[in-house]
């Protein structure tokens, strides 16, 4: 269930993840502890929203956090400026019980598949509602969209206030920095690693990106 989807590492850099008031007033660390306590077997019973850290919003590099030498020493495996090829070893080290940075924030588990949406549009509203109603074990997350924008989207599609909450849909405003498609692992620009079962990318390409109409 949600306690397995969101593993709680021994050391959480909670101060580096400012909370959002959009859905829940909590730091990432306190929210995870609460989720582990309230979640039933295979049932995601709460939604959350984590705002994108200001440092991540301004960053252009995949690495957005700096730790002192003493802080780095507290990790078993610490990777500076991670690349795509680092994601699999980091997850493997975490599976072996080691403390890693970047840290594994979500994990696939037998209690229910993890559906990630990068960006959101009208089709996302329909699909999230379908997944939530189809099976309470479906874990759903939207990445890279401000909570206020999602609220406006739901309203424009005629959904009730609190739609994303009712669908047990997590919201993370941080954006994708790295993705290993074959391993189904992504890292956000705040250096959280997400393992997923299904990923739908609906975010529009950036203006001027190759293949984009000028």
């Amino acid at each position: 269930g949600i306690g397995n989807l969101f593993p709680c590492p021994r050391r959480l850099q909670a101060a580096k993840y400012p909370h959002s008031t959009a859905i829940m007033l909590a730091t990432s660390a306190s929210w995870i502890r609460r989720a582990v306590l309230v979640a039933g077997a295979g049932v995601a019973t709460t939604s959350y929203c984590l705002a994108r850290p200001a440092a991540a919003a301004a960053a252009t590099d995949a690495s957005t956090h700096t730790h002192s030498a003493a802080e780095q020493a507290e990790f078993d495996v610490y990777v500076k400026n991670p690349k795509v090829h680092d994601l699999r070893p980091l997850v493997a080290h975490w599976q072996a019980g080691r403390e890693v940075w970047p840290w594994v924030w979500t994990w696939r588990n037998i209690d229910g598949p993890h559906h990630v949406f990068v960006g959101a549009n009208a089709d996302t509203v329909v699909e999230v509602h379908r997944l939530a109603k189809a099976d309470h074990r479906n874990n759903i997350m939207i990445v890279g969209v401000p909570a206020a924008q999602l609220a406006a989207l739901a309203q424009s599609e005629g959904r009730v206030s609190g739609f994303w909450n009712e669908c047990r849909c997590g919201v993370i405003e941080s954006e994708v920095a790295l993705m290993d498609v074959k391993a189904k692992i992504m890292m956000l620009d705040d250096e959280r690693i997400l393992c997923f079962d299904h990923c739908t990318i609906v975010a529009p390409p950036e203006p001027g990106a190759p293949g984009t109409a000028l």
Side-chain angles (χ1 to χ4, degrees):
I2 205 166
N4 292 327
L5 180 67
F6 300 98
C8 189
R10 295 190 300 274
R11 176 175 174 81
L12 287 170
Q13 299 287 327
K16 298 182 181 293
Y17 295 93
H19 60 65
S20 169
T21 58
I23 295 179
M24 177 176 288
L25 284 171
T27 62
S28 57
S30 62
W31 179 85
I32 291 173
R33 287 195 293 269
R34 181 175 182 273
V36 172
L37 291 174
V38 303
V43 183
T45 59
T46 186
S47 294
Y48 58 94
C49 177
L50 296 179
R52 189 182 186 202
T60 56
D61 189 272
S63 179
T64 62
H65 292 291
T66 57
H67 298 100
S68 67
E71 288 176 324
Q72 293 179 29
E74 295 187 21
F75 295 90
D76 299 312
V77 179
Y78 189 98
V79 178
K80 295 182 179 179
N81 300 314
K83 309 299 181 185
V84 171
H85 63 260
D86 294 312
L87 299 182
R88 296 190 198 197
L90 280 165
V91 173
H93 282 300
W94 172 79
Q95 284 182 295
R98 301 182 182 95
E99 185 73 6
V100 302
W101 188 276
W103 58 290
V104 179
W105 196 65
T106 72
W107 178 244
R108 295 178 289 269
N109 68 88
I110 61 174
D111 293 324
H114 184 201
H115 302 264
V116 173
F117 294 84
V118 180
N121 58 17
D123 292 335
T124 310
V125 174
V126 175
E127 182 63 6
V128 165
H129 184 262
R130 184 192 70 80
L131 288 169
K133 295 297 183 182
D135 193 330
H136 63 262
R137 293 172 297 181
N138 281 325
N139 296 290
I140 312 167
M141 183 181 300
I142 295 178
V143 172
V145 185
Q149 183 177 329
L150 282 176
L153 173 62
Q155 184 178 13
S156 70
E157 294 301 310
R159 303 293 178 168
V160 298
S161 176
F163 167 76
W164 306 104
N165 245 349
E166 291 186 359
C167 291
R168 307 178 310 280
C169 182
V171 178
I172 305 178
E173 296 184 3
S174 301
E175 296 184 0
V176 177
L178 302 172
M179 183 183 295
D180 184 330
V181 176
K182 292 184 177 180
K184 294 187 176 181
I185 304 170
M186 68 173 66
M187 189 190 81
L188 305 184
D189 59 9
D190 57 14
E191 297 193 349
R192 277 176 288 185
I193 292 175
L194 282 67
C195 301
F196 58 89
D197 296 289
H198 308 280
C199 181
T200 303
I201 301 176
V202 299
E206 293 182 346
T212 304
L214 300 178

